[in-house]
Amino acid sequence: MQLTKSTIRCIALLGIALVVLIPQRASSQFSDSTIKEINNRLLELHRCREKQSLYVKLRHSDSITIHNQDEAIHELIIANNIEKVAKEKYQILSAFSSVMLLLALIL
């Protein structure tokens, strides 16, 4: 029973859709200028979508570039910190050796 009702509803909707969607043979629904305007807008839409896809590719490329630059900056910061620690150790060692040299000269 349920299947029969849904089948009848489906057939009725298909019939209505066919009646509405079948083009009329005698005259067109749209004038030539309207069709040209629709075509122009479709062409513009197509161009805009091409530009949008290019922008998406550029965004992806920029994102990768920014990520790589961020990694390089992070590595440089780490290297700089290592150099600072090494410099501090060298200064301490240099001061210690200067004190030892001075003590050796005094004694």
Side-chain angles (χ1 to χ4, degrees):
M1 186 68 174
Q2 192 80 341
L3 181 63
T4 307
K5 285 183 180 179
S6 64
T7 305
I8 290 172
R9 248 187 253 133
C10 184
I11 291 172
L13 289 174
L14 282 174
I16 292 171
L18 284 174
V19 169
V20 170
L21 295 176
I22 292 176
Q24 298 177 3
R25 306 272 183 215
S27 64
S28 176
Q29 187 177 357
F30 300 107
S31 66
D32 287 341
S33 62
T34 306
I35 292 172
K36 286 180 184 178
E37 181 66 27
I38 290 171
N39 286 337
N40 289 336
R41 289 185 182 185
L42 286 172
L43 288 172
E44 184 180 345
L45 175 67
H46 181 68
R47 280 188 237 114
C48 288
R49 286 196 175 155
E50 286 177 346
K51 287 180 184 178
Q52 183 183 18
S53 68
L54 288 175
Y55 286 132
V56 168
K57 289 177 185 177
L58 284 173
R59 183 185 71 199
H60 181 70
S61 173
D62 288 347
S63 175
I64 290 172
T65 303
I66 290 171
H67 179 70
N68 291 340
Q69 288 175 348
D70 184 51
E71 284 180 355
I73 289 169
H74 185 68
E75 289 173 3
L76 288 172
I77 289 171
I78 290 172
N80 191 24
N81 290 337
I82 291 171
E83 290 292 325
K84 283 180 182 178
V85 169
K87 181 182 175 184
E88 290 172 3
K89 286 181 181 178
Y90 176 73
Q91 286 175 341
I92 292 170
L93 183 63
S94 176
F96 179 73
S97 64
S98 296
V99 169
M100 291 303 285
L101 182 62
L102 185 62
L103 284 174
L105 288 175
I106 292 173
L107 297 176

